[in-house]
Amino acid sequence: MWKKIHPAERERENYVLTVWKRASISFQGTDGFTVFDPNGKMVYRVDNYSRKNPNVVLMDGVGNALLTFKPQMRMHYQWNAYQEDDATNTKVFSMRRKASSAEIFMMRKESPSPSPDFLIEGSFRAPDCKIKSSNGQVVAIMSRKRVNNTTLLLTDDVFTLLIQPAFDPKLVMAFLIILDRITNLPFSPFFCSHFC
């Protein structure tokens, strides 16, 4: 299940991640994410051969599966996340697109919360994309990555992700992966979306 990380544990972790919207494998037509900590170590990855495969798996840097994401009844604007290391395939949260935002409903005792626990404002195309809790607290901000904190931006598929203390970065990455799926329709293979 999702959890907040105790501040004492969080002090040993990095708050800022670099998100590259590109798979760690280098085959033509692949699609995914590669996420690095400030020291350049890969901490998360998603490798898909194309967006035609409906299911997506978030892995850690060495390839251990963490969460699986599936569109709900093949409706690509609503997705469910499942715990990968749980034999019962427990649902962790549901996420759906709503106008220019996305709503996230965490699971509680096998049923979703009645109102959104988190709201995502913006998308990968926005100058800043914010993930807020139901009380309005910003838990993460994603923006285009700049070169050494200057005004020079890197390519439009490289982002800086700032995660607030005591919040699980795996969960934030899960939100962003599904956000990419529900806001970039129709699906197209990575090769064409970046090189055609």
Side-chain angles (χ1 to χ4, degrees):
M1 281 300 200
W2 73 289
K3 64 186 179 75
K4 290 188 175 182
I5 296 177
H6 188 276
E9 296 177 14
R10 196 67 170 112
E11 288 175 5
R12 296 192 299 269
E13 297 191 17
N14 298 305
Y15 295 89
V16 181
L17 300 174
T18 297
V19 179
W20 190 21
K21 284 185 63 180
R22 190 165 293 189
S24 64
I25 54 179
S26 58
F27 301 121
Q28 288 184 348
T30 57
D31 176 42
F33 285 80
T34 311
V35 184
F36 302 92
D37 68 14
N39 299 316
K41 178 183 176 186
M42 186 190 305
V43 289
Y44 299 110
R45 73 184 213 210
V46 174
D47 296 321
N48 285 16
Y49 290 102
S50 79
R51 289 179 179 251
K52 293 179 181 178
N53 180 2
N55 297 339
V56 180
V57 177
L58 172 64
M59 297 175 280
D60 64 15
V62 295
N64 297 313
L66 302 173
L67 292 168
T68 299
F69 314 115
K70 300 177 182 179
Q72 185 169 318
M73 295 171 46
R74 296 191 131 356
M75 298 183 297
H76 292 288
Y77 58 85
Q78 185 162 338
W79 287 64
N80 297 321
Y82 298 89
Q83 191 73 38
E84 188 63 35
D85 59 359
D86 186 347
T88 61
N89 205 23
T90 304
K91 188 190 293 187
V92 179
F93 67 86
S94 292
M95 182 170 163
R96 69 182 180 200
R97 182 177 58 191
K98 184 177 181 183
S100 60
S101 63
E103 296 177 326
I104 299 137
F105 299 82
M106 303 306 296
M107 297 303 294
R108 293 186 178 86
K109 296 182 180 177
E110 301 305 319
S111 64
S113 55
S115 58
D117 294 283
F118 299 97
L119 181 70
I120 301 180
E121 297 176 351
S123 67
F124 285 91
R125 295 186 183 99
D128 285 310
C129 177
K130 295 180 181 177
I131 301 174
K132 294 182 175 181
S133 64
S134 57
N135 63 8
Q137 177 188 6
V138 176
V139 298
I141 299 173
M142 182 181 66
S143 57
R144 288 270 306 278
K145 188 168 181 70
R146 299 179 182 276
V147 178
N148 297 327
N149 296 321
T150 66
T151 57
L152 182 63
L153 293 171
L154 293 177
T155 60
D156 61 2
D157 60 353
V158 183
F159 301 88
T160 295
L161 177 61
L162 173 64
I163 302 172
Q164 295 299 316
F167 201 80
D168 189 351
K170 175 179 71 175
L171 193 60
V172 172
M173 275 310 305
F175 295 164
L176 294 180
I177 291 163
I178 296 177
L179 178 70
D180 179 58
R181 288 303 198 255
I182 64 177
T183 58
N184 290 315
L185 299 174
F187 295 153
S188 60
F190 178 87
F191 179 77
C192 288
S193 67
H194 284 261
F195 298 104
C196 295

